[in-house]
Amino acid sequence: LRRRIVRAEKMEVVGHLAASISHEVRNPLTVSRGFMQLLLQSERMNYKDKQYIQIAIEEIDRAEAIITDYLTFAKPAPEHVEKLNVKTEIERVIDILRPLANMNSIEIQTSLVPFAVKGERQKFQQCLLNVMKNAIEAMPNGGTLRINVSIDKDYVLIHISDTGVGMTKEQIERLGEPYFTTKGTKGTGLGMMVVYRIVETMKGDLFIHSEVGEGTDVYMYFPSYYKTDVEKFSRKNEKAIPI
Ligand code: ADP
Ligand code: MG
């Protein structure tokens, strides 16, 4: 038993370490990238040198993307399971993503209800961020990101849809497989793996519907924290959501 406790303590340390990595490593990465960008503009660099620097910049961007998919909200303090207001958490993530959405001419439409679920805040936010970021990245020429909250049976349903490039059956099947990405060096193929893992720890479920050239619907179900939410809302909203 003692050994198990020690192991749990070690895992805790690893968790905290990961959290400080996102804080402490991002800055030096940004600074290094800045200097390399300067070098690229230097007249003393020949074509070959510039190619090497370009590769170094791409690798830094890759490291930054991996940190984003894992540790955007990580803080050095330990996390605990608590009651989360889905409306508040979704709004927080939208705030973070708004500049990216604006850059891609994406309109964000929401219909949010303050239902409660149980989970660790940072993980829940990370999960929402990864799904919404994918939706935005699927619409490089603009479109609509829609986020809807409702109740379906005993679950709070978060429905995130985009009018983007969509996915083939094969792509949907590979979703969540580590390193599966269609975004070349810009992708990590880790975002959805993290999403599936978090949904699972929260005892939730996730369904995807997608049509190539039409867009994608992601349905995320989380057990409702309050039975009263379920009862109040179910009466008004008998029809099930088609998947
Ligand atoms: P990444 O975003 O780094 O590529 P993810 O695990 O987040 O990794 O996503 C894996 C792949 O799933 C993406 O590269 C993309 O092909 C596909 N995908 C995920 N979400 C969407 C979406 N909303 N629309 C279209 N394709 C998507
Ligand atoms: Mg992603």
Side-chain angles (χ1 to χ4, degrees):
L1 181 67
R2 176 71 196 144
R3 178 166 299 186
R4 206 140 81 207
I5 292 169
V6 169
R7 201 177 134 70
E9 281 164 359
K10 276 188 190 155
M11 291 306 285
E12 185 110 314
V13 171
V14 172
H16 294 184
L17 217 58
S20 33
I21 283 172
S22 77
H23 284 258
E24 308 299 333
V25 174
R26 258 198 179 131
N27 281 341
L29 285 182
T30 308
V31 174
S32 307
R33 194 186 193 285
F35 281 120
M36 281 184 224
Q37 206 82 57
L38 276 180
L39 274 182
L40 267 190
Q41 284 148 22
S42 154
E43 274 153 29
R44 298 223 305 271
M45 293 284 153
N46 63 36
Y47 178 72
K48 197 90 205 157
D49 292 337
K50 287 190 180 182
Q51 268 188 324
Y52 292 145
I53 294 167
Q54 194 57 54
I55 292 169
I57 289 177
E58 279 161 21
E59 293 298 310
I60 286 183
D61 287 346
R62 184 167 170 72
E64 165 69 30
I66 290 171
I67 291 175
T68 300
D69 278 352
Y70 267 110
L71 299 162
T72 299
F73 303 97
K75 289 187 192 73
E79 266 211 277
H80 58 280
V81 173
E82 60 188 312
K83 184 178 85 183
L84 304 171
N85 177 332
V86 298
K87 181 171 187 279
T88 314
E89 302 309 327
I90 291 170
E91 280 167 350
R92 168 91 205 281
V93 174
I94 290 175
D95 283 344
I96 290 171
L97 285 173
R98 196 163 315 263
L100 184 66
N102 287 343
M103 233 156 50
N104 291 14
S105 317
I106 288 162
E107 192 199 341
I108 302 178
Q109 293 177 359
T110 57
S111 157
L112 307 178
V113 191
F115 292 131
V117 298
K118 199 158 53 165
E120 292 171 89
R121 188 181 310 278
Q122 294 158 22
K123 298 213 172 71
F124 186 57
Q125 289 176 346
Q126 184 74 63
C127 170
L128 294 170
L129 179 95
N130 291 6
V131 172
M132 289 190 216
K133 193 157 170 280
N134 280 343
I136 293 172
E137 286 166 352
M139 302 184 281
N141 303 317
T144 307
L145 168 63
R146 193 168 290 125
I147 304 145
N148 233 72
V149 173
S150 60
I151 288 269
D152 186 5
K153 305 230 166 59
D154 297 342
Y155 289 84
V156 173
L157 167 58
I158 302 174
H159 175 194
I160 298 173
S161 76
D162 65 65
T163 55
V165 293
M167 281 178 271
T168 64
K169 248 197 167 71
E170 291 72 29
Q171 286 170 346
I172 295 176
E173 265 161 33
R174 293 195 63 189
L175 216 55
E177 191 181 296
Y179 307 116
F180 166 66
T181 181
T182 56
K183 297 170 191 168
T185 53
K186 285 203 159 49
T188 65
L190 296 172
M192 286 307 292
M193 184 197 78
V194 169
V195 168
Y196 278 109
R197 221 167 49 193
I198 294 169
V199 168
E200 195 180 331
T201 43
M202 290 179 69
K203 299 190 167 54
D205 220 337
L206 188 151
F207 300 93
I208 309 248
H209 178 85
S210 190
E211 302 281 346
V212 174
E214 301 267 317
T216 300
D217 292 284
V218 179
Y219 301 89
M220 292 197 280
Y221 290 82
F222 298 99
S224 174
Y225 189 89
Y226 288 121
K227 219 169 162 355
T228 48
D229 278 349
V230 174
E231 283 161 1
K232 260 193 299 193
F233 200 78
S234 299
R235 274 201 297 274
K236 284 190 289 184
N237 210 22
E238 290 293 1
K239 74 173 180 350
I241 284 90
I243 299 169

